[in-house]
């Protein structure tokens, strides 16, 4: 955000552009202030997974940040330490952290590098406050970073399409119950998923005129952004993250009418940068696993086994608990996620009629898909001549963006089959954000055409 050469009114406008979305999202993520999610759900969602961070901080405090390979995990507190401590509502890992207990045994989670746990362990060591205060400060930091990341995307929409579109995108983020329940979770660190897309968005925006001289720099930035994502929260939703990263790439390729050679060249650079980042991250993870087991090859074996159980492996090669997910059909999984709830008006209204409550007040993702199809058609036919190509570009980019969530639902079908308590989040990466941008643009185009027709009449 640059204020040089701006008037006072412009500075106020730019400050408000950033401050208002950040505050709306931050308080939603931290307190569920806007009540878009059920309060009990908000208070307990993914606390079992977040408990791995608590376990890591206890283990780091006891044996060092890089003990057990620096991996997150669960510990068993020493009986003599735990006898007099009441268990917290969120479970023994929180109890161990908040009451400064130590572990007899630690079981690492070996499917991601655990960078978020290492960072929080470092902060835990550096901040001279009580564990209770430190835990809340970690929630504040995570919610703030998530709010800033989404606001950065909103700012891009504002500069490209104007205030009304930015308001629609902001509203879609604030009203998303899935963004709300994930926004402050220490394990998920929501902001890291959006980081590669944000880097591409602003890099291409600021270097459109000198793009041919920025190829190596672009590849390095892709490598850094994807490396940070993999370090912070591992390979969770990695296909969605990578396709999401390409969404602004598609936007500018269409808008600026890149030729085939340009598209191929920049796609290769993005692929190489992200591929090297993921490969090196996996090598590091194998060494981390090896530090807790019998060597590097144990890490390789675990990575292969974990990939198989989340995708299309033979069910006979895995424990029976994975049979249903490995045998499930990809289409049925996608349909399940299309039927998920984006926003539930029942949190604000009390309607006794079951049909109205379940089918009208619960705004499902397939409702939004139908709405975005209708708005795409309206925008295509109602665009003014001066905005037509940009609007067509937005429509094409929006429907490319749906591949980001679908990629995970289809490729990691077995994981998606099991994790219906969390993977609806993927629709917001970034399909619904772009879909509501189409909605806002369509409304603007319709109003402009209506005013123009009245004047002409």
């Amino acid at each position: 955000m640059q204020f040089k050469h701006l008037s006072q009114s412009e500075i106020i406008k730019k400050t408000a552009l950033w401050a208002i979305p950040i505050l709306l999202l931050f308080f939603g993520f931290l307190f569920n202030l806007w009540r878009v999610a059920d309060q009990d759900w908000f208070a307990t969602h993914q606390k079992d997974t977040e408990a791995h961070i608590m376990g890591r901080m206890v283990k780091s405090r006891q044996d060092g940040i890089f003990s057990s390979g620096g991996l997150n995990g669960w510990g068993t507190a020493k009986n003599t330490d735990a006898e007099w401590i009441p268990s917290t509502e969120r479970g023994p890992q929180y109890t161990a952290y908040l009451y400064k207990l130590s572990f007899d045994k630690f079981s690492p989670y070996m499917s991601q590098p655990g960078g978020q746990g290492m960072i929080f362990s470092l902060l835990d060591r550096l901040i001279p406050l009580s564990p209770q205060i430190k835990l809340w400060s970690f929630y504040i930091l995570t919610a703030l970073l998530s709010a800033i990341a989404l606001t950065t995307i909103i700012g891009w929409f504002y500069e490209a399409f104007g205030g009304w579109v930015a308001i629609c995108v902001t509203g879609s983020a604030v009203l998303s119950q899935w963004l709300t329940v994930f926004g402050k979770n220490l394990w998920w660190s929501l902001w890291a998923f959006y980081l590669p897309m944000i880097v591409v968005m602003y890099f291409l925006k600021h270097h459109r005129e000198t793009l041919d001289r920025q190829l190596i720099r672009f590849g390095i930035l892709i490598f850094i952004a994807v490396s940070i994502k993999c370090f912070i929260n591992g390979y969770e939703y990695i296909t969605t993250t990578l396709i999401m990263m390409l969404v602004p790439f598609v936007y500018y390729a269409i808008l600026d009418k890149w030729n085939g050679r340009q598209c191929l060249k920049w796609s290769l650079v993005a692929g190489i940068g992200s591929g090297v980042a993921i490969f090196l991250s996996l090598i590091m993870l194998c060494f981390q696993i090896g530090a807790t087991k019998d060597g590097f090859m144990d890490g390789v074996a675990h990575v292969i086994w974990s990939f198989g159980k989340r995708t299309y492996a033979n069910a006979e090669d895995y424990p029976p608990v994975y049979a249903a997910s490995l045998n499930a059909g990809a289409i049925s999984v996608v349909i399940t996620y299309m039927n998920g709830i984006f926003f539930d008006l029942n949190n604000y209204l009390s309607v006794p009629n079951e049909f109205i409550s379940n089918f009208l007040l619960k705004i499902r993702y397939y409702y939004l898909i139908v709405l975005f199809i209708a708005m795409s058609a309206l925008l295509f036919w109602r665009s003014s001549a001066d905005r037509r190509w940009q609007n067509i570009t937005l429509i094409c980019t929006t429907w490319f963006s749906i591949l980001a969530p679908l990629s995970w639902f289809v490729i990691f079908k077995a994981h998606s089959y099991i994790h219906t308590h969390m993977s609806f989040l993927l629709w917001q990466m970034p399909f619904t954000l772009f879909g509501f941008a189409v909605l806002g643009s369509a409304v603007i185009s319709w109003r402009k055409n209506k005013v123009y027709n009245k004047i002409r009449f």
Side-chain angles (χ1 to χ4, degrees), residues 353-376:
N353 186 285
E354 187 175 346
F355 174 80
I356 294 176
S357 174
N358 286 336
F359 295 99
L360 296 183
L361 297 185
K362 293 181 178 180
I363 310 303
R364 301 179 186 274
Y365 285 102
Y366 72 85
Y367 297 1
L368 294 183
I369 291 172
V370 172
L371 174 65
F372 297 157
I373 290 172
M375 291 299 101
S376 295

PDB file of all heavy atoms in Angstrom, residues 353-376:
ATOM      1  N   ASN A 353     -40.783 -24.698   9.638  1.00  0.00           N
ATOM      2  CA  ASN A 353     -41.000 -25.500   8.433  1.00  0.00           C
ATOM      3  C   ASN A 353     -39.693 -26.165   7.997  1.00  0.00           C
ATOM      4  O   ASN A 353     -38.701 -25.486   7.708  1.00  0.00           O
ATOM      5  CB  ASN A 353     -41.547 -24.612   7.313  1.00  0.00           C
ATOM      6  CG  ASN A 353     -41.916 -25.422   6.080  1.00  0.00           C
ATOM      7  OD1 ASN A 353     -41.046 -25.860   5.341  1.00  0.00           O
ATOM      8  ND2 ASN A 353     -43.208 -25.608   5.871  1.00  0.00           N
ATOM      9  N   GLU A 354     -39.686 -27.506   7.930  1.00  0.00           N
ATOM     10  CA  GLU A 354     -38.453 -28.240   7.645  1.00  0.00           C
ATOM     11  C   GLU A 354     -37.948 -27.995   6.228  1.00  0.00           C
ATOM     12  O   GLU A 354     -36.740 -27.900   5.993  1.00  0.00           O
ATOM     13  CB  GLU A 354     -38.671 -29.736   7.865  1.00  0.00           C
ATOM     14  CG  GLU A 354     -37.394 -30.550   7.750  1.00  0.00           C
ATOM     15  CD  GLU A 354     -37.612 -32.000   8.100  1.00  0.00           C
ATOM     16  OE1 GLU A 354     -38.681 -32.321   8.682  1.00  0.00           O
ATOM     17  OE2 GLU A 354     -36.717 -32.811   7.797  1.00  0.00           O
ATOM     18  N   PHE A 355     -38.871 -27.878   5.272  1.00  0.00           N
ATOM     19  CA  PHE A 355     -38.453 -27.645   3.882  1.00  0.00           C
ATOM     20  C   PHE A 355     -37.733 -26.302   3.754  1.00  0.00           C
ATOM     21  O   PHE A 355     -36.653 -26.207   3.166  1.00  0.00           O
ATOM     22  CB  PHE A 355     -39.663 -27.671   2.946  1.00  0.00           C
ATOM     23  CG  PHE A 355     -39.319 -27.299   1.531  1.00  0.00           C
ATOM     24  CD1 PHE A 355     -38.736 -28.224   0.673  1.00  0.00           C
ATOM     25  CD2 PHE A 355     -39.560 -26.001   1.056  1.00  0.00           C
ATOM     26  CE1 PHE A 355     -38.411 -27.878  -0.634  1.00  0.00           C
ATOM     27  CE2 PHE A 355     -39.234 -25.655  -0.241  1.00  0.00           C
ATOM     28  CZ  PHE A 355     -38.655 -26.590  -1.086  1.00  0.00           C
ATOM     29  N   ILE A 356     -38.323 -25.263   4.333  1.00  0.00           N
ATOM     30  CA  ILE A 356     -37.713 -23.933   4.280  1.00  0.00           C
ATOM     31  C   ILE A 356     -36.377 -23.935   5.018  1.00  0.00           C
ATOM     32  O   ILE A 356     -35.382 -23.392   4.534  1.00  0.00           O
ATOM     33  CB  ILE A 356     -38.661 -22.878   4.881  1.00  0.00           C
ATOM     34  CG1 ILE A 356     -39.913 -22.745   4.016  1.00  0.00           C
ATOM     35  CG2 ILE A 356     -37.960 -21.530   5.014  1.00  0.00           C
ATOM     36  CD1 ILE A 356     -40.960 -21.803   4.585  1.00  0.00           C
ATOM     37  N   SER A 357     -36.351 -24.575   6.168  1.00  0.00           N
ATOM     38  CA  SER A 357     -35.136 -24.583   6.985  1.00  0.00           C
ATOM     39  C   SER A 357     -33.991 -25.318   6.303  1.00  0.00           C
ATOM     40  O   SER A 357     -32.857 -24.841   6.288  1.00  0.00           O
ATOM     41  CB  SER A 357     -35.447 -25.229   8.340  1.00  0.00           C
ATOM     42  OG  SER A 357     -34.271 -25.367   9.101  1.00  0.00           O
ATOM     43  N   ASN A 358     -34.276 -26.496   5.709  1.00  0.00           N
ATOM     44  CA  ASN A 358     -33.211 -27.335   5.175  1.00  0.00           C
ATOM     45  C   ASN A 358     -32.831 -27.020   3.738  1.00  0.00           C
ATOM     46  O   ASN A 358     -31.684 -27.238   3.340  1.00  0.00           O
ATOM     47  CB  ASN A 358     -33.614 -28.816   5.268  1.00  0.00           C
ATOM     48  CG  ASN A 358     -33.544 -29.340   6.683  1.00  0.00           C
ATOM     49  OD1 ASN A 358     -32.817 -28.798   7.515  1.00  0.00           O
ATOM     50  ND2 ASN A 358     -34.319 -30.373   6.985  1.00  0.00           N
ATOM     51  N   PHE A 359     -33.766 -26.529   2.951  1.00  0.00           N
ATOM     52  CA  PHE A 359     -33.502 -26.371   1.527  1.00  0.00           C
ATOM     53  C   PHE A 359     -33.467 -24.928   1.031  1.00  0.00           C
ATOM     54  O   PHE A 359     -32.864 -24.644   0.010  1.00  0.00           O
ATOM     55  CB  PHE A 359     -34.538 -27.165   0.711  1.00  0.00           C
ATOM     56  CG  PHE A 359     -34.438 -28.641   0.912  1.00  0.00           C
ATOM     57  CD1 PHE A 359     -35.290 -29.295   1.788  1.00  0.00           C
ATOM     58  CD2 PHE A 359     -33.466 -29.383   0.256  1.00  0.00           C
ATOM     59  CE1 PHE A 359     -35.190 -30.666   1.994  1.00  0.00           C
ATOM     60  CE2 PHE A 359     -33.358 -30.755   0.453  1.00  0.00           C
ATOM     61  CZ  PHE A 359     -34.224 -31.398   1.324  1.00  0.00           C
ATOM     62  N   LEU A 360     -34.092 -24.028   1.761  1.00  0.00           N
ATOM     63  CA  LEU A 360     -34.095 -22.626   1.321  1.00  0.00           C
ATOM     64  C   LEU A 360     -33.136 -21.773   2.137  1.00  0.00           C
ATOM     65  O   LEU A 360     -32.443 -20.909   1.587  1.00  0.00           O
ATOM     66  CB  LEU A 360     -35.509 -22.052   1.397  1.00  0.00           C
ATOM     67  CG  LEU A 360     -36.547 -22.709   0.474  1.00  0.00           C
ATOM     68  CD1 LEU A 360     -37.892 -21.990   0.601  1.00  0.00           C
ATOM     69  CD2 LEU A 360     -36.083 -22.705  -0.980  1.00  0.00           C
ATOM     70  N   LEU A 361     -33.097 -22.003   3.435  1.00  0.00           N
ATOM     71  CA  LEU A 361     -32.256 -21.166   4.294  1.00  0.00           C
ATOM     72  C   LEU A 361     -30.798 -21.628   4.318  1.00  0.00           C
ATOM     73  O   LEU A 361     -29.914 -20.848   4.670  1.00  0.00           O
ATOM     74  CB  LEU A 361     -32.815 -21.126   5.715  1.00  0.00           C
ATOM     75  CG  LEU A 361     -34.207 -20.505   5.859  1.00  0.00           C
ATOM     76  CD1 LEU A 361     -34.604 -20.417   7.327  1.00  0.00           C
ATOM     77  CD2 LEU A 361     -34.279 -19.129   5.214  1.00  0.00           C
ATOM     78  N   LYS A 362     -30.558 -22.868   3.971  1.00  0.00           N
ATOM     79  CA  LYS A 362     -29.185 -23.372   3.887  1.00  0.00           C
ATOM     80  C   LYS A 362     -28.675 -23.181   2.465  1.00  0.00           C
ATOM     81  O   LYS A 362     -29.103 -23.874   1.547  1.00  0.00           O
ATOM     82  CB  LYS A 362     -29.124 -24.841   4.303  1.00  0.00           C
ATOM     83  CG  LYS A 362     -29.423 -25.057   5.777  1.00  0.00           C
ATOM     84  CD  LYS A 362     -29.323 -26.524   6.168  1.00  0.00           C
ATOM     85  CE  LYS A 362     -29.578 -26.691   7.668  1.00  0.00           C
ATOM     86  NZ  LYS A 362     -29.499 -28.104   8.089  1.00  0.00           N
ATOM     87  N   ILE A 363     -27.791 -22.210   2.284  1.00  0.00           N
ATOM     88  CA  ILE A 363     -27.274 -21.881   0.964  1.00  0.00           C
ATOM     89  C   ILE A 363     -26.170 -22.873   0.610  1.00  0.00           C
ATOM     90  O   ILE A 363     -25.072 -22.819   1.162  1.00  0.00           O
ATOM     91  CB  ILE A 363     -26.738 -20.434   0.932  1.00  0.00           C
ATOM     92  CG1 ILE A 363     -27.762 -19.461   1.508  1.00  0.00           C
ATOM     93  CG2 ILE A 363     -26.351 -20.047  -0.490  1.00  0.00           C
ATOM     94  CD1 ILE A 363     -29.101 -19.479   0.837  1.00  0.00           C
ATOM     95  N   ARG A 364     -26.486 -23.782  -0.286  1.00  0.00           N
ATOM     96  CA  ARG A 364     -25.573 -24.874  -0.620  1.00  0.00           C
ATOM     97  C   ARG A 364     -24.687 -24.486  -1.798  1.00  0.00           C
ATOM     98  O   ARG A 364     -25.008 -23.576  -2.574  1.00  0.00           O
ATOM     99  CB  ARG A 364     -26.356 -26.148  -0.904  1.00  0.00           C
ATOM    100  CG  ARG A 364     -27.214 -26.574   0.288  1.00  0.00           C
ATOM    101  CD  ARG A 364     -28.033 -27.820   0.024  1.00  0.00           C
ATOM    102  NE  ARG A 364     -28.925 -28.087   1.143  1.00  0.00           N
ATOM    103  CZ  ARG A 364     -28.587 -28.767   2.230  1.00  0.00           C
ATOM    104  NH1 ARG A 364     -27.364 -29.272   2.321  1.00  0.00           N
ATOM    105  NH2 ARG A 364     -29.443 -28.954   3.207  1.00  0.00           N
ATOM    106  N   TYR A 365     -23.605 -25.230  -1.943  1.00  0.00           N
ATOM    107  CA  TYR A 365     -22.640 -24.870  -2.983  1.00  0.00           C
ATOM    108  C   TYR A 365     -23.203 -25.077  -4.384  1.00  0.00           C
ATOM    109  O   TYR A 365     -22.844 -24.334  -5.299  1.00  0.00           O
ATOM    110  CB  TYR A 365     -21.331 -25.640  -2.785  1.00  0.00           C
ATOM    111  CG  TYR A 365     -20.536 -25.090  -1.641  1.00  0.00           C
ATOM    112  CD1 TYR A 365     -20.514 -25.735  -0.399  1.00  0.00           C
ATOM    113  CD2 TYR A 365     -19.833 -23.893  -1.762  1.00  0.00           C
ATOM    114  CE1 TYR A 365     -19.803 -25.212   0.668  1.00  0.00           C
ATOM    115  CE2 TYR A 365     -19.129 -23.357  -0.690  1.00  0.00           C
ATOM    116  CZ  TYR A 365     -19.121 -24.022   0.521  1.00  0.00           C
ATOM    117  OH  TYR A 365     -18.433 -23.490   1.576  1.00  0.00           O
ATOM    118  N   TYR A 366     -24.074 -26.049  -4.567  1.00  0.00           N
ATOM    119  CA  TYR A 366     -24.631 -26.183  -5.915  1.00  0.00           C
ATOM    120  C   TYR A 366     -25.613 -25.053  -6.223  1.00  0.00           C
ATOM    121  O   TYR A 366     -25.810 -24.704  -7.387  1.00  0.00           O
ATOM    122  CB  TYR A 366     -25.214 -27.575  -6.157  1.00  0.00           C
ATOM    123  CG  TYR A 366     -26.512 -27.916  -5.461  1.00  0.00           C
ATOM    124  CD1 TYR A 366     -27.738 -27.556  -6.024  1.00  0.00           C
ATOM    125  CD2 TYR A 366     -26.525 -28.644  -4.281  1.00  0.00           C
ATOM    126  CE1 TYR A 366     -28.930 -27.901  -5.416  1.00  0.00           C
ATOM    127  CE2 TYR A 366     -27.711 -28.997  -3.663  1.00  0.00           C
ATOM    128  CZ  TYR A 366     -28.914 -28.625  -4.231  1.00  0.00           C
ATOM    129  OH  TYR A 366     -30.102 -28.969  -3.629  1.00  0.00           O
ATOM    130  N   TYR A 367     -26.219 -24.435  -5.199  1.00  0.00           N
ATOM    131  CA  TYR A 367     -26.997 -23.222  -5.432  1.00  0.00           C
ATOM    132  C   TYR A 367     -26.086 -22.135  -6.009  1.00  0.00           C
ATOM    133  O   TYR A 367     -26.451 -21.429  -6.964  1.00  0.00           O
ATOM    134  CB  TYR A 367     -27.605 -22.688  -4.135  1.00  0.00           C
ATOM    135  CG  TYR A 367     -28.594 -23.551  -3.405  1.00  0.00           C
ATOM    136  CD1 TYR A 367     -28.953 -24.816  -3.873  1.00  0.00           C
ATOM    137  CD2 TYR A 367     -29.175 -23.114  -2.227  1.00  0.00           C
ATOM    138  CE1 TYR A 367     -29.853 -25.601  -3.181  1.00  0.00           C
ATOM    139  CE2 TYR A 367     -30.081 -23.885  -1.522  1.00  0.00           C
ATOM    140  CZ  TYR A 367     -30.412 -25.133  -1.998  1.00  0.00           C
ATOM    141  OH  TYR A 367     -31.297 -25.903  -1.298  1.00  0.00           O
ATOM    142  N   LEU A 368     -24.905 -21.998  -5.385  1.00  0.00           N
ATOM    143  CA  LEU A 368     -23.974 -20.968  -5.844  1.00  0.00           C
ATOM    144  C   LEU A 368     -23.482 -21.257  -7.254  1.00  0.00           C
ATOM    145  O   LEU A 368     -23.332 -20.333  -8.066  1.00  0.00           O
ATOM    146  CB  LEU A 368     -22.780 -20.871  -4.887  1.00  0.00           C
ATOM    147  CG  LEU A 368     -23.062 -20.391  -3.469  1.00  0.00           C
ATOM    148  CD1 LEU A 368     -21.758 -20.275  -2.678  1.00  0.00           C
ATOM    149  CD2 LEU A 368     -23.792 -19.052  -3.464  1.00  0.00           C
ATOM    150  N   ILE A 369     -23.238 -22.520  -7.564  1.00  0.00           N
ATOM    151  CA  ILE A 369     -22.782 -22.871  -8.912  1.00  0.00           C
ATOM    152  C   ILE A 369     -23.829 -22.467  -9.944  1.00  0.00           C
ATOM    153  O   ILE A 369     -23.506 -21.866 -10.991  1.00  0.00           O
ATOM    154  CB  ILE A 369     -22.461 -24.374  -8.998  1.00  0.00           C
ATOM    155  CG1 ILE A 369     -21.213 -24.692  -8.158  1.00  0.00           C
ATOM    156  CG2 ILE A 369     -22.238 -24.805 -10.454  1.00  0.00           C
ATOM    157  CD1 ILE A 369     -20.924 -26.169  -8.009  1.00  0.00           C
ATOM    158  N   VAL A 370     -25.094 -22.767  -9.658  1.00  0.00           N
ATOM    159  CA  VAL A 370     -26.181 -22.361 -10.569  1.00  0.00           C
ATOM    160  C   VAL A 370     -26.250 -20.843 -10.676  1.00  0.00           C
ATOM    161  O   VAL A 370     -26.402 -20.279 -11.768  1.00  0.00           O
ATOM    162  CB  VAL A 370     -27.532 -22.938 -10.086  1.00  0.00           C
ATOM    163  CG1 VAL A 370     -28.687 -22.359 -10.898  1.00  0.00           C
ATOM    164  CG2 VAL A 370     -27.527 -24.464 -10.181  1.00  0.00           C
ATOM    165  N   LEU A 371     -26.143 -20.149  -9.535  1.00  0.00           N
ATOM    166  CA  LEU A 371     -26.163 -18.689  -9.531  1.00  0.00           C
ATOM    167  C   LEU A 371     -25.020 -18.121 -10.365  1.00  0.00           C
ATOM    168  O   LEU A 371     -25.219 -17.192 -11.175  1.00  0.00           O
ATOM    169  CB  LEU A 371     -26.065 -18.176  -8.095  1.00  0.00           C
ATOM    170  CG  LEU A 371     -25.921 -16.655  -7.913  1.00  0.00           C
ATOM    171  CD1 LEU A 371     -27.174 -15.934  -8.406  1.00  0.00           C
ATOM    172  CD2 LEU A 371     -25.635 -16.316  -6.452  1.00  0.00           C
ATOM    173  N   PHE A 372     -23.824 -18.663 -10.203  1.00  0.00           N
ATOM    174  CA  PHE A 372     -22.662 -18.152 -10.938  1.00  0.00           C
ATOM    175  C   PHE A 372     -22.775 -18.425 -12.437  1.00  0.00           C
ATOM    176  O   PHE A 372     -22.313 -17.620 -13.258  1.00  0.00           O
ATOM    177  CB  PHE A 372     -21.375 -18.765 -10.384  1.00  0.00           C
ATOM    178  CG  PHE A 372     -21.082 -18.406  -8.949  1.00  0.00           C
ATOM    179  CD1 PHE A 372     -20.258 -19.223  -8.168  1.00  0.00           C
ATOM    180  CD2 PHE A 372     -21.624 -17.271  -8.365  1.00  0.00           C
ATOM    181  CE1 PHE A 372     -19.992 -18.898  -6.847  1.00  0.00           C
ATOM    182  CE2 PHE A 372     -21.369 -16.944  -7.047  1.00  0.00           C
ATOM    183  CZ  PHE A 372     -20.546 -17.763  -6.281  1.00  0.00           C
ATOM    184  N   ILE A 373     -23.411 -19.542 -12.809  1.00  0.00           N
ATOM    185  CA  ILE A 373     -23.659 -19.805 -14.236  1.00  0.00           C
ATOM    186  C   ILE A 373     -24.588 -18.737 -14.796  1.00  0.00           C
ATOM    187  O   ILE A 373     -24.337 -18.167 -15.875  1.00  0.00           O
ATOM    188  CB  ILE A 373     -24.261 -21.214 -14.432  1.00  0.00           C
ATOM    189  CG1 ILE A 373     -23.214 -22.291 -14.129  1.00  0.00           C
ATOM    190  CG2 ILE A 373     -24.789 -21.379 -15.858  1.00  0.00           C
ATOM    191  CD1 ILE A 373     -23.773 -23.715 -14.110  1.00  0.00           C
ATOM    192  N   ALA A 374     -25.661 -18.448 -14.070  1.00  0.00           N
ATOM    193  CA  ALA A 374     -26.619 -17.429 -14.527  1.00  0.00           C
ATOM    194  C   ALA A 374     -25.959 -16.053 -14.611  1.00  0.00           C
ATOM    195  O   ALA A 374     -26.155 -15.313 -15.590  1.00  0.00           O
ATOM    196  CB  ALA A 374     -27.818 -17.390 -13.580  1.00  0.00           C
ATOM    197  N   MET A 375     -25.175 -15.711 -13.614  1.00  0.00           N
ATOM    198  CA  MET A 375     -24.514 -14.403 -13.612  1.00  0.00           C
ATOM    199  C   MET A 375     -23.437 -14.310 -14.693  1.00  0.00           C
ATOM    200  O   MET A 375     -23.216 -13.239 -15.268  1.00  0.00           O
ATOM    201  CB  MET A 375     -23.896 -14.139 -12.234  1.00  0.00           C
ATOM    202  CG  MET A 375     -24.903 -13.921 -11.115  1.00  0.00           C
ATOM    203  SD  MET A 375     -26.000 -12.478 -11.380  1.00  0.00           S
ATOM    204  CE  MET A 375     -27.488 -13.320 -11.955  1.00  0.00           C
ATOM    205  N   SER A 376     -22.773 -15.422 -14.988  1.00  0.00           N
ATOM    206  CA  SER A 376     -21.786 -15.434 -16.070  1.00  0.00           C
ATOM    207  C   SER A 376     -22.469 -15.152 -17.407  1.00  0.00           C
ATOM    208  O   SER A 376     -21.952 -14.387 -18.231  1.00  0.00           O
ATOM    209  CB  SER A 376     -21.072 -16.789 -16.125  1.00  0.00           C
ATOM    210  OG  SER A 376     -20.307 -17.014 -14.965  1.00  0.00           O
TER     211      SER A 376
END
